[in-house]
Amino acid sequence: MNKQENIKALNIMIKAAKEAGKLSKLLQKKRTKMEVKFKGPADLLCYADQQTEECIKKILFNAYPNFSYYGEETGEIKGKSNNYLWLVDPIDGTTNFLSGLEYTITIALRFNKNTISGIIYNPISKEMFTVTKGGGAFLNNKRIKVSKTDDHRRFLIGTGIPTKNIKYSNKSYIRLKKIRENIAGIRITGSAAYSLALVACGKLDGYFEGTVGVIDTAAGVLLVEEAGGIVSDFWGRNKKYFEKNVTYVAGNKQAHSYIVKKTNKA
Ligand code: LIP
């Protein structure tokens, strides 16, 4: 796919996210009447997840009927093209959504397992984060960069407390304590995608979380990298590792190395 074609695919993702944003906001007004199922401990599923994903799928398949697809609720749909794959999380932050809080919609396009473009949309704040590989990261069409904060006492760092694999959670509390010790503050947005987007635009200096899937993070990882940031696993290793062990550390250079250093002391 050349640059033009990648931009065309990005515009389809933006259209799908905006339609899904309108629908999910309408559904959020009926959240107290919605049936909620449990996919696992603190891992909620509701009617809006499925309806919003159907809305996105329709727009993506209309434009690219041969691409493969993997969605948080639908799972895998093999297309004629195995090279191109959509990754879709229709509501990242379902627990937030069901409580009337902000959530995000995230869509990424992969070519041969590499993310080439993606979006993260917060329909409540109307923040549309967009990114193409080699084309930079943007918020509402304005170029964004990670923060320049280099004094750890000023760091504001995002995270999430794991729900899946509770057995890991003790370590995550030790990790949180180590990282929290000498920084300005910790923020839990409830959406891995939104936390990565906030790092990319410099509102958070760094972010770390375990047990979050590539569907939540693919677009956000490219966004942070195109905004001049660094992403690795808890041990500072590259994509081959963080997508397998689903542990993520993202940030500007200083915040990233600070978190990895502290993580390894946990
Ligand atoms: C959520 C992640 C969040 C994590 C939650 C949950 P979901 O994804 O975005 O970072 O802390 O446990 O995994 O389930 O709302 O798509």
Side-chain angles (χ1 to χ4, degrees):
M1 204 181 253
N2 64 28
K3 202 161 178 248
Q4 270 348 83
E5 290 162 335
N6 204 3
I7 297 289
K8 183 173 160 271
L10 188 70
N11 289 330
I12 294 293
M13 286 186 254
I14 293 169
K15 179 182 171 203
K18 285 191 173 163
E19 284 305 310
K22 275 189 236 149
L23 172 63
S24 57
K25 274 171 68 176
L26 278 177
L27 292 170
Q28 194 178 36
K29 292 195 175 91
K30 305 178 190 143
R31 67 183 189 279
T32 52
K33 298 188 184 64
M34 235 174 255
E35 188 209 349
V36 176
K37 294 193 184 103
F38 288 86
K39 293 191 282 183
D43 192 0
L44 311 183
L45 169 66
C46 66
Y47 168 76
D49 284 298
Q50 289 142 337
Q51 290 307 304
T52 308
E53 186 161 335
E54 288 312 313
C55 164
I56 294 169
K57 246 162 60 182
K58 203 155 143 248
I59 294 169
L60 296 182
F61 278 111
N62 275 346
Y64 298 92
N66 298 331
F67 283 12
S68 295
Y69 175 97
Y70 195 97
E72 171 113 349
E73 311 316 336
T74 306
E76 187 176 18
I77 300 175
K78 274 200 179 312
K80 287 203 187 83
S81 151
N82 283 332
N83 308 92
Y84 288 100
L85 172 71
W86 299 111
L87 293 176
V88 174
D89 188 348
I91 297 182
D92 188 41
T94 303
T95 308
N96 281 17
F97 173 88
L98 287 164
S99 307
L101 295 173
E102 295 192 2
Y103 56 96
T104 59
I105 295 159
T106 184
I107 308 172
L109 177 59
R110 310 259 273 194
F111 178 67
N112 293 344
K113 297 195 169 66
N114 292 309
T115 308
I116 57 173
S117 52
I119 65 98
I120 296 171
Y121 181 49
N122 177 331
I124 312 292
S125 64
K126 294 211 174 339
E127 289 168 297
M128 177 65 80
F129 296 88
T130 55
V131 61
T132 55
K133 188 139 183 84
F138 297 81
L139 167 53
N140 297 344
N141 301 318
K142 284 205 190 70
R143 189 110 195 205
I144 53 176
K145 288 284 177 199
V146 294
S147 75
K148 291 193 172 53
T149 315
D150 56 6
D151 176 350
H152 64 80
R153 295 167 300 169
R154 288 290 315 284
F155 286 163
L156 189 59
I157 290 178
T159 192
I161 306 295
T163 50
K164 300 174 189 96
N165 307 330
I166 294 287
K167 67 173 185 280
Y168 291 129
S169 61
N170 294 339
K171 199 112 198 247
S172 66
Y173 290 113
I174 299 164
R175 187 172 297 115
L176 180 61
K177 182 172 176 303
K178 285 248 173 260
I179 291 167
R180 170 75 195 88
E181 266 156 8
N182 299 313
I183 63 171
I186 288 275
R187 294 293 179 272
I188 298 179
T189 67
S191 159
Y194 196 46
S195 298
L196 287 164
L198 292 177
V199 170
C201 67
K203 290 179 182 169
L204 287 176
D205 303 300
Y207 162 73
F208 67 101
E209 187 165 6
T211 67
V212 272
V214 70
I215 292 176
D216 298 9
T217 57
V221 165
L222 184 62
L223 207 66
V224 169
E225 290 171 344
E226 286 289 324
I230 299 171
V231 182
S232 76
D233 72 353
F234 280 173
W235 299 271
R237 302 174 298 185
N238 67 20
K239 174 173 174 285
K240 206 172 90 203
Y241 296 91
F242 63 69
E243 287 195 355
K244 202 183 275 151
N245 63 34
V246 288
T247 69
Y248 292 83
V249 178
N252 68 30
K253 193 162 173 296
Q254 295 80 4
H256 174 269
S257 63
Y258 182 86
I259 297 169
V260 168
K261 203 173 62 209
K262 292 286 181 180
T263 297
N264 289 310
K265 287 215 179 90

